[in-house]
């Protein structure tokens, strides 16, 4: 019985979030996406009490972003140069 109540609470929470995010008066998608990207890159979800985890997360995510941009530039260069 308790498991069913937990499932119902989770379902209601998900439905409320979807309704809130899709509401016309809600925060625009671009603003939410920019905030989520900023929070991700600055390791807002990392434990600030552990400086190694915090800075390791920031450095890793920044390096990953730089590598992804570099690969994208290389792909465009290779595609436009013809191989």
């Amino acid at each position: 019985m308790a498991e069913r109540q937990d499932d119902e609470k989770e379902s209601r929470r998900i439905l409320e979030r979807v309704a809130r995010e899709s509401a016309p008066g809600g925060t625009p998608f671009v603003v939410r996406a920019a905030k989520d990207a900023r929070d991700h890159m600055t390791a807002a979800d990392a434990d600030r009490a552990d400086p190694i985890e915090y800075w390791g997360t920031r450095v890793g995510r920044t390096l990953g972003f730089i590598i992804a941009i570099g690969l994208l530039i290389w792909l465009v260069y290779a595609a436009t140069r013809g191989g």
Side-chain angles (χ1 to χ4, degrees), residues 7-83:
D7 288 345
E8 287 180 15
K9 285 180 184 178
E10 179 70 12
S11 298
R12 290 184 195 284
R13 186 187 63 78
I14 291 169
L15 288 173
E16 288 172 2
R17 181 176 176 193
V18 168
R20 186 174 57 244
E21 289 180 354
S22 61
T27 309
F29 173 75
V30 175
V31 173
R32 281 194 322 267
K35 181 186 177 304
D36 289 345
R38 186 191 71 223
D39 288 348
H40 180 76
M41 292 302 292
T42 59
D45 59 336
D47 183 15
R48 291 193 180 244
D50 184 2
I52 303 267
E53 178 185 353
Y54 177 70
W55 283 103
T57 302
R58 288 187 77 174
V59 168
R61 289 178 181 176
T62 302
L63 283 174
F65 179 72
I66 291 169
I67 290 170
I69 295 298
L71 286 172
L72 183 62
I73 291 169
W74 173 78
L75 177 66
V76 169
Y77 175 74
T80 58
R81 200 182 96 196

